[in-house]
Amino acid sequence: MNIGQAAKSSGLSAKMIRYYESIGLLQAATRTDSGYRVYGSNDLHTLAFIKRSRDLGFSLEEVGKLLTLWQDRGRASADVKALAHKHIIDLNQKIEELAGLRDTLQDLVEHCQGNDRPDCPILKDLESGGCCH
């Protein structure tokens, strides 16, 4: 299967597939005599693994570690669990940060009159760098 077909089958773009190859997440595809990439079922399985890992928010570095663990049949599941648990902690931190951003912006929106006057607390906050309300 060529890169376009692999992209369609995996739900990834051809550009992302080439990128994953270039950084070593995906083994370099075999090539035809004319230089076109050819992907097999193992490649598609790996692409599905990468896509699902990325969909769950794992970083490229974490995906690399997960791929290594996945390909090592002698791995300890504790290693996989530890990596996933750390990711949960990171996600919870990001959720807290996003909730704080949402709350700040909500407060600014509530204090904005939203009328024809130019005075706007949202712009004042942006102008001040958020240091003074």
Side-chain angles (χ1 to χ4, degrees), residues 6-56:
K8 186 174 182 178
S9 178
S10 67
L12 296 166
S13 68
K15 182 177 181 177
M16 287 309 301
I17 293 172
R18 284 190 293 273
Y19 177 68
Y20 291 152
E21 274 187 44
S22 74
I23 63 171
L25 281 183
L26 182 66
Q27 288 185 352
T30 57
R31 301 247 182 182
T32 64
D33 290 340
S34 54
Y36 291 102
R37 290 174 169 90
V38 178
Y39 298 91
S41 60
N42 286 342
D43 298 316
L44 293 179
H45 203 63
T46 301
L47 288 170
F49 185 96
I50 293 169
K51 182 174 186 325
R52 180 64 177 148
S53 299
R54 296 293 286 153
D55 288 347
L56 289 172

Side-chain angles (χ1 to χ4, degrees), residues 104-125:
T104 298
L105 190 54
Q106 183 67 45
D107 185 57
L108 291 169
V109 167
E110 287 173 4
H111 288 91
C112 179
Q113 297 299 314
N115 55 22
D116 293 336
R117 296 184 55 202
D119 189 39
C120 179
I122 300 168
L123 293 177
K124 281 184 183 177
D125 181 82

Side-chain angles (χ1 to χ4, degrees), residues 70-97:
W70 178 54
Q71 293 162 348
D72 176 7
R73 298 296 178 202
R75 70 185 170 266
S77 65
D79 295 336
V80 181
K81 183 176 181 175
L83 201 152
H85 188 261
K86 183 187 177 314
H87 184 59
I88 291 169
I89 291 168
D90 293 344
L91 286 173
N92 283 331
Q93 181 179 347
K94 286 179 187 176
I95 289 167
E96 287 180 27
E97 290 170 5

